Amino acid sequence: MQIRKAVQGDLPALLEIYNYEVLNGVATLDLTPRTIAERQVWFDAHNKENHPLYVAEEAGAVAGYVSLSAYREKEAYRSTVELSIYIHPEHRGKGYATALMAFILEEAKNDPTIHNVVSVITSGNAASVKLHEKFGFTFCGTIPAVGMKFGRYLDIDNYSLLV
């Protein structure tokens, strides 16, 4: 496995991984699959300032990705970033998430413009909670029934790590 900065040619694979979760899971509360043009805007917001985007590559294929994104658009939040991590369903349970998490957190710790890394996890996602707790994230509260997907209301759990 190789972890590297995402490049333009990765965009179709990143879109496939994300849209799988849109259609089949609750890791994102997006309801409509994204287009390549929509994900291009997201892609372009990364790998500058303190918003990196990395992929885990295995045998020439993108197995997963991790990103740090703007937490909110207000200037006072500039040193807080939101972590997202997605693994292709065929590569889950093989250590990619752990490797990507370790890599991105090391990057965050070495970036003096980052002070707080936050994650918003849909309640009940035990694998994601376990991963975050393994790296020292602290549970900061639940917002109940914040979104509806697949005909049910979903809660979100907030996690934070000061770096």
Side-chain angles (χ1 to χ4, degrees):
M1 171 185 36
Q2 174 192 5
I3 297 176
R4 59 169 175 76
K5 276 192 174 183
V7 296
Q8 184 67 40
D10 296 324
L11 192 55
L14 300 174
L15 179 67
E16 177 189 349
I17 292 167
Y18 187 77
N19 279 343
Y20 177 87
E21 200 60 36
V22 170
L23 295 171
N24 300 289
V26 294
T28 177
L29 296 187
D30 275 335
L31 301 175
T32 306
R34 297 295 171 218
T35 65
I36 200 83
E38 290 169 324
R39 276 320 250 184
Q40 183 69 56
V41 172
W42 167 84
F43 183 88
D44 290 343
H46 290 85
N47 287 333
K48 56 187 177 187
E49 296 183 16
N50 60 358
H51 303 127
L53 171 61
Y54 292 98
V55 298
E57 184 179 68
E58 185 69 50
V62 174
Y65 68 90
V66 65
S67 65
L68 297 178
S69 302
Y71 174 65
R72 299 283 186 266
E73 295 303 319
K74 293 177 175 54
E75 293 169 344
Y77 293 127
R78 190 173 225 157
S79 64
T80 298
V81 292
E82 185 171 347
L83 185 146
S84 296
I85 188 165
Y86 288 89
I87 306 299
H88 191 285
E90 293 176 9
H91 295 284
R92 293 179 183 167
K94 298 178 181 177
Y96 291 102
T98 298
L100 284 166
M101 180 73 90
F103 189 90
I104 200 82
L105 291 178
E106 191 62 31
E107 292 283 306
K109 288 174 184 174
N110 290 322
D111 185 334
T113 68
I114 297 175
H115 178 66
N116 195 353
V117 178
V118 299
S119 283
V120 178
I121 302 170
T122 306
S123 298
N125 186 340
S128 189
V129 167
K130 182 178 177 182
L131 177 67
H132 283 75
E133 289 177 345
K134 176 180 182 176
F135 284 93
F137 280 78
T138 302
F139 173 72
C140 298
T142 298
I143 302 175
V146 73
M148 179 181 271
K149 191 169 183 181
F150 303 130
R152 62 189 168 124
Y153 283 103
L154 298 167
D155 304 341
I156 56 170
D157 297 330
N158 295 284
Y159 284 80
S160 173
L161 178 70
L162 297 178
V163 295

